[in-house]
Amino acid sequence: MRLVISSPVSKASFERKLGGLDGVELTWAEPAELPALSRSADAIVMAGLFYNDKLARALDQPDNPCRWLQLITAGYEQLVTFGVPARITVSTAGSVWSPVVAEQAMLLMLALARRMTKVIAAQERRQWDNTIRKDMDMIGGGRLTIVGMGSIGSELAKRAKAFGMRITGVNRSGRPHPAADRTLPVRQLREALSDADFVAVAAPLASDTVGLIGAAELAACPPHAVIVNVGRGAVIDSGALLRALNDGVIAGAGLDVTDPEPLPPESPFWTMPNVIVSPHIGGAAPERYYERLVDHVLANTQAWMAGAPISDRVTI
């Protein structure tokens, strides 16, 4: 099996674990080399952001042997944008990154509920501001609606349950999810939002999720509700969110992803007292965490070679 790898992380681990597999020939590549190297590859391991029109065109050639793209990222928007030939199987590393992204969502909810922006501002002033206590909230016993019950949503639900939260999950079909107290289909999104104390967006970006949460959906939330986005920025209509925050339609927002991204310096979100912005770092983790990524790719490679099902397969 001729396997091309383009990864900015864990080269030594990839070489040690995948290079040790019988029948695997590894080739390392820079992103710009992928279109040419795809013409002699059976599979490519790469970040989703490395996919572009040149690679898409190369893969679309009838004689291109590549049959599998294993992403080391959770996101695959570039593949949707430029298209992937039907003969090629695509899998992501969504389950690898989901636990740490779920931690980021919990952090944002806790920070907003416990008014950490005010706490940090008082610390910077060296002021023992005990008046902050009158505004403080809690997530324990709260109602959390998770929009997108994939791997991130599932991991978030587990953590939120440990805090005693009641979970409403939203997915396309409404099929019950074991981590949620109830699950509603996306067509009932406004109903799912209507009694939420917290809303977490963990949906991927696709043609049917762009602007999924707009003015009407935000208006369906209780005015004390807080929304956090760890999915993709464009799932929430940014203009509608800005107006909802300014007008008191909802109480606050925690944004690890934005639209556009990076968030421009002139964006009002930066300075709003009821908003926390983090620069798309939900998936950031220490080096030791990357072993999970390598093990995921290793397991999928072994399954692929054995003709067994692979994990985190997606349909483009």
Side-chain angles (χ1 to χ4, degrees), residues 39 51-61 64 82:
R39 298 184 178 95
Y51 196 85
N52 55 30
D53 58 339
K54 291 182 180 179
L55 180 54
R57 288 198 302 270
L59 292 172
D60 201 36
Q61 296 303 308
N64 190 298
F82 297 109

Side-chain angles (χ1 to χ4, degrees), residues 47 78 143 204 215 284 299:
Q78 295 285 97
R143 295 163 297 188

